[in-house]
Amino acid sequence: MISCEKAACICNKAQYKEASFWETITLRFHILMCKACTKHSKQNKKLTTLCNKANLVALSEEDKRKMKESLPTKN
């Protein structure tokens, strides 16, 4: 069985569809045995759902570059 730390890492990867098939299987087995990780997984899914519903928008790379250029430089 994987550690809770490893399970949390895989859980985070799975939320963004970055976990491999094998990682997903090992996570599911771990969650069957560990109540703490089951709770973490549920909370993680809820947080992701809320963030998606919020329609969060980040600055474009161009806007970030402009902001950096507008900052005073240290000498």
Side-chain angles (χ1 to χ4, degrees):
M1 190 161 105
I2 60 174
S3 68
C4 291
E5 185 176 332
K6 180 74 174 173
C9 181
I10 295 170
C11 182
N12 292 336
K13 287 172 64 175
Q15 288 297 111
Y16 300 104
K17 313 262 189 286
E18 296 173 353
S20 70
F21 175 75
W22 184 247
E23 287 175 323
T24 304
I25 296 299
T26 58
L27 174 63
R28 288 184 184 189
F29 278 116
H30 183 88
I31 286 175
L32 287 172
M33 304 294 212
C34 181
K35 290 183 181 186
C37 288
T38 300
K39 184 177 179 180
H40 172 78
S41 179
K42 287 179 182 179
Q43 289 175 338
N44 204 19
K45 287 178 186 176
K46 186 183 285 188
L47 178 61
T48 300
T49 301
L50 289 172
C51 287
N52 289 338
K53 284 182 181 179
N55 294 321
L56 301 174
V57 179
L59 290 174
S60 68
E61 292 302 317
E62 178 66 19
D63 289 337
K64 290 177 188 178
R65 184 187 60 75
K66 287 177 183 177
M67 285 180 73
K68 284 181 183 179
E69 289 174 356
S70 69
L71 293 173
T73 58
K74 291 182 180 179
N75 288 349

